[in-house]
Amino acid sequence: SQTIHQWPATLVQPVGSPLSLECTVEGTSNPNLYWYRQAAGRGLQLLFYSVGIGQISSEVPQNLSASRPQDRQFILSSKKLLLSDSGFYLCAWSVGTTTNEKLFFGSGTQLSVL
Amino acid sequence: AQSVSQHNHHVILSEAASLELGCNYSYGGTVNLFWYVQYPGQHLQLLLKYFSGDPLVKGIKGFEAEFIKSKFSFNLRKPSVQWSDTAEYFCAVTGGFKTIFGAGTRLFVKA
């Protein structure tokens, strides 16, 4: 069966420090991968998605970047965190050659930038 | 650009009351429509989806949703809610590989 791993679960970082959140998927190949940020009252904001290795689509211009170095690995990064980067970050995956049929979500990372 | 609008941010109902959560979307092409639910302390999970065919779709736990193309709407309904339906509900739209979510509706069902 397929599983998605996301870590760390919580993270407290000072302003200006770097960030690296990792997400890996097991039990499937060539998944579509996603990073969302969830904020109270604002739902899930799509940050990045990838339909293949090295292919990254950015949805919201901001202080973050994403990379997909391997088929089932998706990394969210920042060189210098801002206070506004605080939030709950969710990784998700789906399969589909022309569209998403269903998204499967990780357990999320609560990031606090102080 | 895709967008999703959920009409209510917070809804409080008593058990056995009927539920309808509104969702309107904006997208220029063919879309697939979803409702996801997040129970307290749990991951987001799929409640139901519409791709094509019968515009009235049924999901888990007695939920259903109706796609009205002319109104760009995909409202979620349940005839009689239970305390266990307390959760946050998200409407979502997929165009291609992009899935956009609404702001969510927090439902609290009083026992």
Side-chain angles (χ1 to χ4, degrees):
Chain A
S1 63
Q2 303 92 351
T3 55
I4 179 169
H5 302 280
Q6 188 180 342
W7 67 92
T10 59
L11 189 60
V12 180
Q13 292 284 97
V15 169
S17 64
L19 172 73
S20 180
L21 301 181
E22 189 163 342
C23 173
T24 59
V25 180
E26 296 178 357
T28 187
S29 58
N30 197 30
N32 305 316
L33 296 171
Y34 300 82
W35 279 110
Y36 286 89
R37 180 165 56 202
Q38 185 176 12
R42 297 182 60 186
L44 281 76
Q45 181 186 33
L46 178 60
L47 303 176
F48 303 94
Y49 68 98
S50 170
V51 298
I53 295 175
Q55 299 178 54
I56 307 294
S57 296
S58 174
E59 288 300 300
V60 182
Q62 56 200 329
N63 188 42
L64 302 170
S65 62
S67 61
R68 184 171 178 173
Q70 300 180 43
D71 181 43
R72 291 169 289 176
Q73 184 184 29
F74 205 26
I75 298 172
L76 183 69
S77 304
S78 173
K79 292 183 180 177
K80 289 185 178 181
L81 283 168
L82 306 172
L83 286 173
S84 58
D85 292 324
S86 293
F88 189 64
Y89 290 83
L90 282 166
C91 181
W93 71 274
S94 73
V95 291
T97 55
T98 58
T99 189
N100 287 330
E101 296 192 2
K102 178 179 176 180
L103 284 171
F104 298 89
F105 287 89
S107 53
T109 296
Q110 183 66 53
L111 172 65
S112 300
V113 182
L114 306 176
Chain B
Q2 292 163 254
S3 67
V4 180
S5 174
Q6 290 185 237
H7 306 161
N8 311 96
H9 293 302
H10 293 90
V11 173
I12 302 173
L13 295 173
S14 297
E15 276 195 312
S18 64
L19 170 72
E20 180 160 3
L21 302 182
C23 173
N24 286 90
Y25 68 93
S26 172
Y27 185 66
T30 302
V31 294
N32 299 318
L33 300 161
F34 305 80
W35 278 94
Y36 284 83
V37 59
Q38 187 170 30
Y39 297 102
Q42 296 187 26
H43 296 189
L44 273 158
Q45 57 185 284
L46 182 68
L47 197 57
L48 48 78
K49 62 184 180 182
Y50 172 79
F51 279 23
S52 64
D54 188 346
L56 183 63
V57 293
K58 296 190 183 298
I60 60 173
K61 303 186 180 185
F63 285 91
E64 65 179 31
E66 185 175 11
F67 170 53
I68 303 180
K69 189 175 181 179
S70 61
K71 294 185 178 181
F72 297 92
S73 69
F74 190 55
N75 293 354
L76 181 71
R77 299 194 292 250
K78 185 171 183 178
S80 176
V81 295
Q82 301 173 309
W83 176 80
S84 58
D85 293 324
T86 293
E88 190 162 14
Y89 294 81
F90 296 91
C91 182
V93 170
T94 291
F97 294 106
K98 284 175 55 175
T99 299
I100 303 297
F101 286 80
T105 298
R106 288 181 182 257
L107 171 66
F108 180 73
V109 180
K110 297 184 291 184

